[in-house]
Amino acid sequence: MKFILSLLASLLMGLSALQGQNLSVSGAIKDAETNLPLPGVTVFIPELSRGTVTDGSGQFTVENLPSRSMTFQFSFLGYATALFKINPSTQKVPLDISLESATTTVDEVVVSGVYVMGKESSPISIEKINKGSILKNPSPSLMTALAKTPGVSEVSLGPGISKPVIRGLSFSRVLSVYQGARFENQQWGADHGLGLTETGLSGVEIIKGPASIIYGSGAMAGVVNLIEDPDAASGEIEGDVNLRMYGNSLGRRVEAGVKGAGENGLFWSLRGATESHADYMDGSGKTVGNTRFNTQNIKTGIGLRKNWGDTRVRYTFLQQELGILDENNQELLVTSRNDRSPQLPFQQVADHFLNSETNLFLGEDKLKATFGYHWNFREETEEDFDQVDLGLRQANFMYDIKYYKSLSQETETIFGIQGFYLKTINDENAAEILIPDATKDDRSVYALINHATSQWVLQGGIRYDYRKVTADASRPHFLDYGFVLPGSPEDRMLSRSFDGWTASGGATFRPSDQWRFRLNVASGFRAPDLAELYSNGPHPGTARFERGSAGFDREQNIQTDLGIRYRTADFSLSAEAFYNVVNNYIYFAPTDERMGELIVWQFQQDNARLYGGEAFLEWHPVAVPWISGNTSYSIAIGRRRSDQSYLPYIPAFRWNQELSFNFKGMGKLLRPYVNLTGSLVLDQNRPAPLEEATPGYYLMGIHLGSSFKIWEQEMDAFVSANNLLNTNYLDHMSLYRPFGISQIGRNISLNLQFQF
């Protein structure tokens, strides 16, 4: 109690001291070679999620800043991004910054490791995919676009349903973070996708490796963190319209948004998107029936920012209608080419996400509080449009409160409490029951420390978690259905508790601009999900009977990551290796048992290990600055430790190539580019028991685009052709693969973006 009162007193004194301040940072940005001013440079402060752009003479000013050191990022197309730590209270003179020409981004800010820092400095392996990359090489689903990242792939059930795989681990082992809070939308289901779109995002950051210290259960493989668009600059109102069309699935996407901010600190945003796809065609020209899907997305927010900090409230609504392929009736599901109407079987998923974030700056310290409430409604319909076969309602309240304590200019600690209370209820009118009603009560405390100098970054942390899972099959419709919990308890209720400690430690050493070494050792954990513990019924979306085991222990892993990078003016060469030991690994396997016409799939548990890595070569010759290229090679191998057999759903080895031609201008075309891509996926000849090997394939793509002016406003136009050779192939990670159903064929897309 004394600690809480002391903290409140510190907050009040800190806020009072800041009320009369109006701190700002200003300066000029110029070309390092020509010394000419650079207009249009983006000045961004990640801690505040806002910034500005330089005017026609290269000048900028950012006002209403807190009195603490913050990272300023200066970025401009064709120049290397510059990062500086600046304290507005001590920066008395305007900044004078020179940007050097570069065809690729040397470094950029990442926020997923909690500490805001350059990606090159982070001991944690974090990949950043900017919105521009997604627009230039789009895919029907956000996860498919992210799966082009080395070390990242997807488990898919057609183009509308996919979920992330990070270094061979997937399903509930990868945590999604949306607007700073965990996004729980029942990822345990094989037919349950990521459930998030690119609407209103500035990019995505992917942590490759255990991040349980920061994010808790479910982050033992890594994290997919969706980063929101920055807030509008003070006194500005801006908006954009995005139009996209896909040739293969006759897809169309419309997104529009507007945001603004007043001089008094009030800011707001409103954005919406709708997307629709018909059935896709594979490389042989065959239509794959009922792979159509439709989505609608609305998000809005309002907030207040002052020199003491900021606070904001956001609301997101996402609705999806997803066709599900029925392998037994494929020909009957193929209708007219442009048919988008739902047909059996299909899913309807709706998400409502209400979230608040507050930052209070207290000198060099900071308090960050995030609260969220998430409603998820999932219905799977198989037999009749008027009958829901599987209906689940989920409500989740989550919280995360962090106190950032500055110990010195180089050292910062974080103390936090985190948790959620999740409730899952079956629809009483649903015809089938797969899992019981249940609650999850999750609580944790953690502490992290970061020490950064010009050459070294040292990080470490420790965390304690407690989770109680209570299953309830006592409602009358469970009795009528005949649903049975393991052990058949008399009160038809079961409870399990999981708790334990996790820790991590890592270091980055940068002895010069050329070399960077990174080492990180982290433990992660995952409590078994509801399906793994208590499922006992048919799952319409996967056409199988699924059975769990209430005796499972929590998964626990220790992963070691080692990274090295060497860079010159003309090229950059890097390699990342990982070794991951997983105790109590839970996996899914078919049995010889049948329930009616359905094969029984049983969850099982064994110890496992995974190992592999990624190698990356980037080429950007100084003598020919308009040409650049890169190539990467990624591998992941997973085995059970009991018999050395391979784990299921491990991606094949992959070799990616990219060659880019970027031009400064060609008449009315501004910054035109041509990009050639290739991806060689090798044979996946390491199948798990009861899994089949998958032959390799090669995919080629071409992407081009430019900006130009219409009515004094810039418009961007991008044309992208994926699978240019129309290759007919099977993806080892596709849930369609066992039925011999190929992936999408040649897909040409057109994207137009208009900003105002």
Side-chain angles (χ1 to χ4, degrees), residues 354-374:
L354 183 64
N355 157 275
S356 75
E357 284 185 284
T358 301
N359 295 286
L360 295 177
F361 299 108
L362 308 167
E364 287 295 319
D365 296 348
K366 182 176 79 167
L367 179 69
K368 182 180 181 69
T370 303
F371 299 94
Y373 205 97
H374 182 192

Side-chain angles (χ1 to χ4, degrees), residues 10 13 17 37 74 129 135 139 178 346 479 524 585 645-646 655 752:
S10 299
M13 287 187 292
F74 303 90
I129 302 95
L135 291 176
S139 296
Y178 181 65
F346 68 95
L479 295 170
Y585 181 88
S645 61
Y646 291 106
W655 177 28
L752 301 175

Side-chain angles (χ1 to χ4, degrees), residues 123-248:
I124 302 171
S125 179
I126 303 177
E127 294 290 344
K128 187 166 185 175
I129 302 95
N130 292 316
K131 181 65 173 289
S133 300
I134 297 173
L135 291 176
K136 291 178 180 179
N137 189 0
S139 296
S141 89
L142 174 62
M143 192 58 241
T144 302
L146 302 180
K148 298 163 187 173
T149 307
V152 180
S153 50
E154 62 174 334
V155 172
S156 66
L157 192 70
I161 304 173
S162 62
K163 64 182 67 189
V165 181
I166 299 179
R167 289 176 167 175
L169 293 177
S170 55
F171 292 86
S172 300
R173 300 177 184 92
V174 179
L175 180 65
S176 301
V177 175
Y178 181 65
Q179 295 178 351
R182 63 187 298 136
F183 190 86
E184 292 275 359
N185 65 339
Q186 307 184 57
Q187 280 286 296
W188 49 264
D191 59 326
H192 303 172
L194 176 66
L196 290 166
T197 71
E198 66 192 69
T199 306
L201 301 182
S202 66
V204 179
E205 293 179 1
I206 300 176
I207 297 179
K208 296 190 293 187
S212 294
I213 292 292
I214 305 168
Y215 298 102
S217 177
M220 66 179 300
V223 171
V224 177
N225 188 5
L226 287 79
I227 310 299
E228 289 292 299
D229 258 338
D231 301 325
S234 296
E236 298 287 336
I237 296 178
E238 54 190 76
D240 62 88
V241 177
N242 293 271
L243 307 174
R244 186 182 304 162
M245 294 173 286
Y246 295 91
N248 186 295

